[in-house]
Amino acid sequence: MENLKALSFELRKNVVRMIKEGKGGHIGGDMSVMDTLVTLYFRQMNISPDNMDDPDRDRFVLSKGHSVEAYYAVLAAKGFFPIEEVIEKFSKFGSKYIGHPNNKLPGIEMNSGSLGHGLPVCIGMALAGKMDKRDYRVYTVMGDGELAEGSVWEGAMAAGHYKLDNLCAVIDRNRLQISGCTEDVMAHDSQEERWKSFGWHVISVNGNEIDELDAAFNEAKATKGKPTLVLANTTKGFGSPVMENKAGWHHHVPSEEEYAQIMADLDARREAALHE
Amino acid sequence: MNKIPNRQAICEVLMENVKTDKDIVVLCSDSRGSASMTPFADTYPDHFVEVGIAEQNLVSISAGLAKCGKKPFAASPACFLSTRSYEQAKVDCAYSNTNVTLIGISGGISYGALGMSHHSAQDIAAMSAIPNMRVYLPSDRHQTKKLIEALLKDEKPAYIRVGRNPVEDIYTEEDCPFVMDRATVLCEGTDVAIVACGEMVKPAFDAAGLLKEQGISATVLDMYCVKPLDKEAVVKAAANAKAVVTVEEHAPFGGLGSMVSQVVGSECPKKVVNLALPDAPVITGTSKEVFDYYGLNAEGIAKTAAGLVQE
């Protein structure tokens, strides 16, 4: 089986290149969410360039649309578009690789960027699956700062009400947002308690460990009668001490020196993963 | 007097079509009664989704359903649908290009006495400003039915506004000329052109009758398709007239009047007067009392039009 841990560090390097070339992007959240995306796209979901017209394909919406660089890196690795083209054109004038997901690109179902939309949209997708008696699963990934949006909780309520066990939501719980710690900006804990009270099955994992995430998604699949929330506890900027756990790296563009250090750190982590 | 409001006509046509089109889904936000959708919900519970009082969720869920091949019709009071869920309409419907039909019920000042929170005098402006969002205000039940049937045949987002009250028939079941995105010409004249939408079409048409008694001939356009506006029909009507009057149950900015003025100003400059609600909370009363107060009735429209012709 492919070494996904090594792949996740390789894809992080593509993200860093993209952001450096494009002179912008949301690097910290890209790094924290990468393992979730890699697990979903390479272990869990039946989504590929060959089946995007298949009504039985799984559905995915990146609700935290600002992590689009990580999304592009994963979609490129799945063969939806060439990574070198993304790195060259990301955020450039007239580019189709814009700073938030858009469904004119292959592999992307829904446009996002405004927070608090992904979960409610996925509820519609999950309801459609139930109506049509199809077995596909629906996934969305939210940020933790995003949880202050009221529409998230409208969605939490509806998914619990309709017992959507074909729906799995992930929170990339990196505990940092643009202004600082999430608990200082708007207190969120305990997410376990909150989602359980809305009728969800909740699984809390280390969101930078692919095997833990994989097991959580398997458990979600086996959970009937209620939707599942995977609380992915992650480190913002995961992969290099240069950016780890630093709120300023929410959308910082690395300098030449920082870039060199980050790429070296990611290479070292990738090498280590290959020899684990 | 017809007793069927346009909202009920929507329910009836959807109930007819869902028999053969299994992808039709109706969604309400605790609004099935005011949307006249209770018969649909009771008869086709598998095609009905209740989201509770959560308009943002209503629109996003509709978009998700549409993305998976469904044909959702989301019915909620226009005052909330066009404001509370505006971003969802913009991003999840228009930007993502999902086949969602938003139905703003009890539009305009239908909830007359309930105050500004319940009025939607801004919905045409708001929805029209969103790229890839179409805006329709059908005039009577027969046209409403034709519009819904046309929307069932395409896969693009749209916003429809209908009122709460029954409106007098303009057309008949047998005689309801309808071409999608083309205004219906109710009568043609050479003195003045009156362009109206929604519940203002009937008084505009009646105004033409009053003007005729005064020897003034008027063109009346039923511009149910506010966006995309039938520019060709506007230019043709304006070119044949001395002046143009627009009539709408909407704020004086950004609605039908603004759009018609833009077209006339650039294509065939003529004097245009916009009859609309004021840029202020409207006076308390029933729809009829409010319309009469602001001159949004046949007499008021005729008076404005006659004044323009006599200038």
Side-chain angles (χ1 to χ4, degrees):
Chain A
M1 185 180 281
E2 195 174 359
N3 187 323
L4 293 186
K5 192 167 184 178
L7 177 68
S8 77
F9 288 116
E10 185 65 35
L11 297 186
R12 282 181 172 93
K13 287 174 63 185
N14 289 339
V15 168
V16 178
R17 288 177 63 202
M18 214 180 289
I19 288 173
K20 186 164 179 290
E21 287 288 322
K23 299 183 177 63
H26 293 82
I27 195 164
D30 288 329
M31 298 296 133
S32 62
V33 81
M34 182 61 85
D35 302 295
T36 293
L37 298 182
V38 165
T39 308
L40 284 173
Y41 274 90
F42 288 89
R43 283 268 175 87
Q44 292 289 333
M45 300 192 298
N46 68 341
I47 296 176
S48 76
D50 302 326
N51 79 339
M52 288 309 288
D53 293 326
D54 182 352
D56 288 318
R57 72 187 183 282
D58 292 329
R59 305 303 202 281
F60 176 80
V61 177
L62 184 65
S63 194
K64 52 171 288 188
H66 53 286
S67 289
V68 71
E69 301 87 14
Y71 196 19
Y72 285 159
V74 169
L75 288 174
K78 287 289 289 187
F80 282 99
F81 34 72
I83 187 63
E84 290 306 324
E85 182 179 286
V86 184
I87 291 168
E88 180 195 336
K89 296 184 176 171
F90 174 64
S91 285
K92 301 274 173 61
F93 179 73
S95 174
K96 58 186 176 180
Y97 301 106
I98 64 176
H100 287 99
N102 73 94
N103 61 4
K104 287 201 170 69
L105 286 174
I108 297 179
E109 303 273 5
M110 290 293 289
N111 299 350
S112 56
S114 309
L115 297 172
H117 288 235
L119 178 59
V121 165
C122 284
I123 290 166
M125 294 175 163
L127 281 169
K130 294 280 185 191
M131 287 173 182
D132 291 342
K133 297 184 170 49
R134 294 191 182 278
D135 290 332
Y136 65 77
R137 292 187 60 74
V138 184
Y139 296 89
T140 188
V141 178
M142 297 177 281
D144 51 2
E146 177 177 0
L147 302 175
E149 291 282 7
S151 54
V152 171
W153 302 100
E154 289 185 11
M157 209 181 305
H161 177 82
Y162 285 107
K163 306 183 191 315
L164 296 175
D165 52 16
N166 53 349
L167 171 68
C168 178
V170 181
I171 296 172
D172 181 23
R173 185 78 170 111
N174 59 36
R175 293 188 170 269
L176 286 176
Q177 58 190 108
I178 197 165
S179 305
C181 297
T182 54
E183 297 314 288
D184 295 335
V185 176
M186 186 53 62
H188 284 144
D189 282 331
S190 145
Q191 285 303 317
E192 286 94 335
E193 299 291 324
R194 292 182 190 204
W195 290 86
K196 276 179 189 166
S197 74
F198 279 92
W200 288 61
H201 178 58
V202 180
I203 309 168
S204 183
V205 296
N206 180 338
N208 292 127
E209 283 291 343
I210 285 169
D211 288 343
E212 282 195 38
L213 287 163
D214 196 37
F217 292 127
N218 286 338
E219 184 179 325
K221 235 179 238 178
T223 302
K224 299 301 173 194
K226 53 172 67 176
T228 293
L229 178 89
V230 173
L231 188 60
N233 297 288
T234 59
T235 299
K236 199 158 184 171
F238 188 77
S240 167
V242 174
M243 40 184 186
E244 283 177 359
N245 270 325
K246 293 175 183 167
W249 279 79
H250 178 81
H251 58 355
H252 180 72
V253 179
S255 66
E256 289 295 340
E257 296 73 27
E258 289 165 336
Y259 176 78
Q261 185 60 52
I262 290 167
M263 294 302 262
D265 290 341
L266 290 172
D267 268 333
R269 299 260 188 126
R270 182 176 170 280
E271 279 299 311
L274 284 172
H275 297 100
E276 266 181 15
Chain B
M1 171 72 183
N2 164 48
K3 294 294 178 199
I4 297 178
N6 292 344
R7 58 194 165 113
Q8 189 176 332
I10 294 175
C11 179
E12 287 173 4
V13 69
L14 289 177
M15 286 185 74
E16 188 57 36
N17 278 274
V18 76
K19 291 173 189 166
T20 52
D21 189 342
K22 296 303 173 194
D23 287 326
I24 292 174
V25 181
V26 171
L27 299 94
C28 286
S29 54
D30 197 23
S31 49
R32 71 181 78 181
S34 48
S36 298
M37 285 296 180
T38 304
F40 187 101
D42 290 346
T43 312
Y44 300 102
D46 294 343
H47 293 264
F48 183 82
V49 178
E50 175 62 71
V51 305
I53 305 170
E55 293 80 11
Q56 299 178 77
N57 224 16
L58 175 83
V59 176
S60 293
I61 290 176
S62 300
L65 283 162
K67 191 65 199 173
C68 292
K70 297 295 174 190
K71 298 176 184 173
F73 289 76
S76 181
C79 51
F80 311 130
L81 188 62
S82 65
T83 53
R84 180 69 70 96
S85 42
Y86 188 56
E87 196 191 54
Q88 282 74 15
K90 173 187 154 194
V91 177
D92 302 335
C93 300
Y95 186 31
S96 284
N97 192 30
T98 50
N99 183 18
V100 176
T101 303
L102 302 170
I103 303 170
I105 55 167
S106 304
I109 48 98
S110 293
Y111 288 132
L114 298 186
M116 188 167 151
S117 63
H118 280 63
H119 298 159
S120 62
Q122 80 304 312
D123 56 344
I124 300 177
M127 289 296 176
S128 295
I130 299 175
N132 197 38
M133 181 61 78
R134 299 172 293 170
V135 177
Y136 299 103
L137 280 81
S139 58
D140 79 351
R141 57 179 167 151
H142 301 297
Q143 191 187 59
T144 300
K145 183 169 180 280
K146 294 268 178 111
L147 173 64
I148 297 293
E149 284 170 345
L151 288 171
L152 277 166
K153 291 183 186 133
D154 69 41
E155 298 187 338
K156 295 179 289 185
Y159 173 80
I160 302 173
R161 186 231 272 189
V162 291
R164 182 170 180 78
N165 306 313
V167 285
E168 283 187 57
D169 286 343
I170 295 164
Y171 309 103
T172 62
E173 197 164 348
E174 298 75 29
D175 185 17
C176 180
F178 181 90
V179 179
M180 189 59 164
D181 296 332
R182 293 287 177 188
T184 304
V185 182
L186 293 176
C187 55
E188 288 186 281
T190 52
D191 294 319
V192 64
I194 306 173
V195 186
C197 62
E199 287 195 32
M200 291 295 109
V201 174
K202 183 68 169 82
F205 190 35
D206 291 346
L210 297 176
L211 289 166
K212 194 173 178 186
E213 290 170 10
Q214 300 172 43
I216 297 169
S217 74
T219 295
V220 177
L221 296 185
D222 177 346
M223 192 64 75
Y224 74 90
C225 47
V226 177
K227 186 191 173 192
L229 188 76
D230 184 351
K231 294 179 185 172
E232 202 176 302
V234 169
V235 171
K236 188 178 171 201
N240 289 334
K242 294 182 184 124
V244 179
V245 179
T246 66
V247 199
E248 62 192 314
E249 185 183 354
H250 190 266
F253 314 118
L256 177 71
S258 297
M259 293 188 215
V260 169
S261 299
Q262 279 186 335
V263 172
V264 174
S266 62
E267 301 291 329
C268 53
K270 293 274 168 76
K271 184 162 185 177
V272 183
V273 171
N274 303 143
L275 296 179
L277 294 166
D279 178 28
V282 305
I283 196 162
T284 303
T286 63
S287 292
K288 184 175 184 316
E289 288 168 337
V290 174
F291 292 149
D292 288 346
Y293 182 81
Y294 295 114
L296 295 171
N297 54 20
E299 294 74 20
I301 297 164
K303 188 179 170 189
T304 298
L308 283 169
V309 172
Q310 285 151 11
E311 270 182 10

